[in-house]
Amino acid sequence: MTQAHPTAILTRPAGRNTALVQVLTQRGWPILECPALEIQSVPLQAQHKPLPRPDAFDLVVFVSRAAVAGYKHQLPNGYAWPQGLQAACMGPVTAGAIQRAFGADLTVLHPQGAASQDSEALWPLILAQKTLPRSVLILRGQDGREWLSQKLIALGIAVTVQQTYQREVASWSEPLCGSLRALAAAQAQVVWLLTSGHGAEAIVQKMKALELLPWFERSAFVLTHERLRPVLGKALGREFAQLCHAVASPEDEAIVLCFDQIVHQLKQT
């Protein structure tokens, strides 16, 4: 019989799980933190080009919290956000990070509520503005958001892309690897939290290296976007519909509810 609380394995970058760990622990979940990716800021000198400043654009799009932190690191200390310049992002978590970094009164355009938190959800909000931007700065990692760039360019909007952080597959300590091997040896039921396509691919890569892929495929999954289904399925080389999973929005409250939903699903199996 499936135990009431499987182990929750959290794969967000180090430092991003504090509040989630506290809530899940209070609800009886054993926790194992296995960061899929390491996020590193990209120094300006590594860009080999002048830094695009916000005041040169009509709209600045931050693709994630990592983009916020990376861009703030690249800007001069004490940089003041230009008055009246709007920022945009894909969800309220990143919006909060933008306002903490550049000012609580900064207007941030982003999808609200239960809407998908992605470029497709942001796009109609951009189109709904009284005046379309003539120039847009997109702040991202080494890749991503090509769809948004193409849609903007198709409207004749000038797009500049700036890399503000670098994603690398995380290094795992031997004790962490040992914990995973012990869970696999015991055929323990676990629930993985996967929050990005790159992260999902990195986790599959790590599981292959540890020769734990068969156990991993019998896990359950909490995903923070529908788009992660085909990404994980492709990485595993199988139909994702065969895997036990649930989809939540990226906020911690929604993720916790999704973990509870997974427990209910497991009890039915």
Side-chain angles (χ1 to χ4, degrees):
M1 181 176 177
T2 304
Q3 61 180 343
H5 292 287
T7 298
I9 303 184
L10 310 182
T11 67
R12 293 191 298 196
R16 298 280 178 84
N17 296 308
T18 304
L20 184 59
V21 167
Q22 182 178 5
V23 175
L24 287 175
T25 300
Q26 290 172 348
R27 298 172 80 91
W29 286 83
I31 304 293
L32 189 63
E33 292 194 64
C34 296
L37 302 170
E38 293 176 353
I39 305 298
Q40 302 171 354
S41 295
V42 177
L44 181 58
Q45 56 267 29
Q47 298 286 315
H48 304 296
K49 62 180 181 179
L51 176 68
R53 299 288 189 102
D55 51 18
F57 300 89
D58 298 320
L59 180 67
V60 179
V61 179
F62 295 84
V63 307
S64 65
R65 284 179 290 175
V68 178
Y71 194 46
K72 186 174 178 62
H73 180 73
Q74 291 178 347
L75 288 167
N77 288 334
Y79 180 84
W81 192 266
Q83 187 173 3
L85 174 62
Q86 190 173 55
C89 62
M90 286 68 190
V93 173
T94 302
I98 294 169
Q99 291 174 327
R100 288 191 296 274
F102 298 108
D105 58 346
L106 172 59
T107 301
V108 183
L109 186 68
H110 65 86
Q112 297 276 0
S116 295
Q117 296 177 15
D118 52 23
S119 296
E120 289 83 351
L122 175 62
W123 180 242
L125 302 183
I126 294 175
L127 293 180
Q129 300 302 295
K130 291 182 179 179
T131 304
L132 284 178
R134 294 164 298 176
S135 58
V136 174
L137 173 62
I138 298 179
L139 305 167
R140 67 177 197 184
Q142 59 264 53
D143 55 25
R145 305 302 172 183
E146 285 80 11
W147 181 90
L148 180 60
S149 295
Q150 292 166 5
K151 296 291 283 187
L152 290 165
I153 292 170
L155 289 180
I157 298 169
V159 175
T160 298
V161 174
Q162 173 74 359
Q163 182 183 358
T164 66
Y165 65 96
Q166 182 81 11
R167 296 179 297 265
E168 302 289 350
V169 177
S171 299
W172 288 353
S173 67
E174 184 52 40
L176 177 54
C177 293
S179 295
L180 289 166
R181 292 190 184 99
L183 287 168
Q187 293 299 304
Q189 179 65 62
V190 301
V191 183
W192 294 80
L193 172 63
L194 302 177
T195 61
S196 73
H198 291 92
E201 292 167 347
I203 290 295
V204 172
Q205 178 181 331
K206 302 289 276 188
M207 290 294 102
K208 286 180 179 177
L210 291 172
E211 299 182 346
L212 298 179
L213 208 51
W215 169 71
F216 176 79
E217 291 181 342
R218 292 192 293 273
S219 303
F221 302 90
V222 170
L223 312 177
T224 56
H225 199 288
E226 294 280 352
R227 189 179 290 119
L228 297 180
R229 297 177 196 251
V231 172
L232 183 57
K234 181 179 179 180
L236 292 173
R238 61 182 291 183
E239 289 293 327
F240 188 74
Q242 301 169 3
L243 303 175
C244 178
H245 69 281
V247 180
S249 60
E251 294 90 354
D252 285 352
E253 297 83 356
I255 290 171
V256 169
L257 292 176
C258 209
F259 269 93
D260 289 342
Q261 179 183 342
I262 282 286
V263 169
H264 179 72
Q265 289 184 30
L266 293 173
K267 286 180 179 179
Q268 307 305 311
T269 61

